[in-house]
Amino acid sequence: MFRSLYFSARYFLSRMFGGEGVAPTPTPDVQNRPVVADTVSNATVPSDALSLGGTLVRGGTYRFTLTASVNGSAWDLTGASVVLTFTSPSGTATSYSATLDDADGGTAHYDGDASVLGRSGLWRRSWRVLQGDVDVRTRPKRFVVVPAP
């Protein structure tokens, strides 16, 4: 019986995930949907502090960078408004306007000063891009802020 279940599950999974020459096709609502990715960099904190799984140091200055694409190509952000929202450990949300670096290339950034991450704990950040009728919001990304050494 277990062998039969194993082969049934294996067949089902192979059919669902592209086995036996069947290529999965994206659903129509996923096609042409913008994708937004973000990164963090810092010149005032040693790079090893940034490699601790998203840990940032309280009072540090960071550059948060957004890269937006549609179907693998850069999303032209000309005329768009880009906002980065931080939610503190206490639940207070504060939004900041980002600067478009390369509108045609789909990149923007926000330079946070030392007061932005002024409290230690678990934070969240999310991006919002508004362009005409298009309103894209990223899921909140969690990161940790630790006291300065």
Side-chain angles (χ1 to χ4, degrees):
M1 177 175 167
F2 291 111
R3 184 176 180 169
S4 175
L5 287 173
Y6 168 78
F7 285 110
S8 295
R10 185 174 166 196
Y11 174 77
F12 173 76
L13 292 172
S14 71
R15 298 293 290 171
M16 290 299 296
F17 297 105
E20 301 180 42
V22 177
T25 56
T27 57
D29 59 329
V30 174
Q31 293 176 344
N32 301 318
R33 183 175 178 163
V35 175
V36 178
D38 76 319
T39 56
V40 180
S41 60
N42 181 330
T44 63
V45 172
S47 60
D48 58 340
L50 291 175
S51 66
L52 299 174
T55 301
L56 306 180
V57 176
R58 183 175 70 194
T61 57
Y62 296 93
R63 172 167 282 196
F64 297 86
T65 304
L66 168 131
T67 304
S69 62
V70 178
N71 294 333
S73 298
W75 174 9
D76 184 351
L77 296 177
T78 302
S81 137
V82 179
V83 175
L84 177 60
T85 300
F86 293 100
T87 304
S88 71
S90 66
T92 303
T94 308
S95 298
Y96 300 93
S97 293
T99 301
L100 292 176
D101 293 322
D102 178 9
D104 293 340
T107 61
H109 78 273
Y110 171 72
D111 288 328
D113 62 24
S115 67
V116 172
L117 303 176
R119 187 168 185 199
S120 299
L122 180 63
W123 286 70
R124 292 185 310 248
R125 71 177 181 266
S126 61
W127 292 91
R128 181 177 186 187
V129 179
L130 292 162
Q131 186 180 46
D133 293 339
V134 177
D135 184 355
V136 176
R137 299 173 195 230
T138 64
R139 288 190 171 146
K141 187 173 192 173
R142 295 179 181 181
F143 63 100
V144 175
V145 174
V146 298

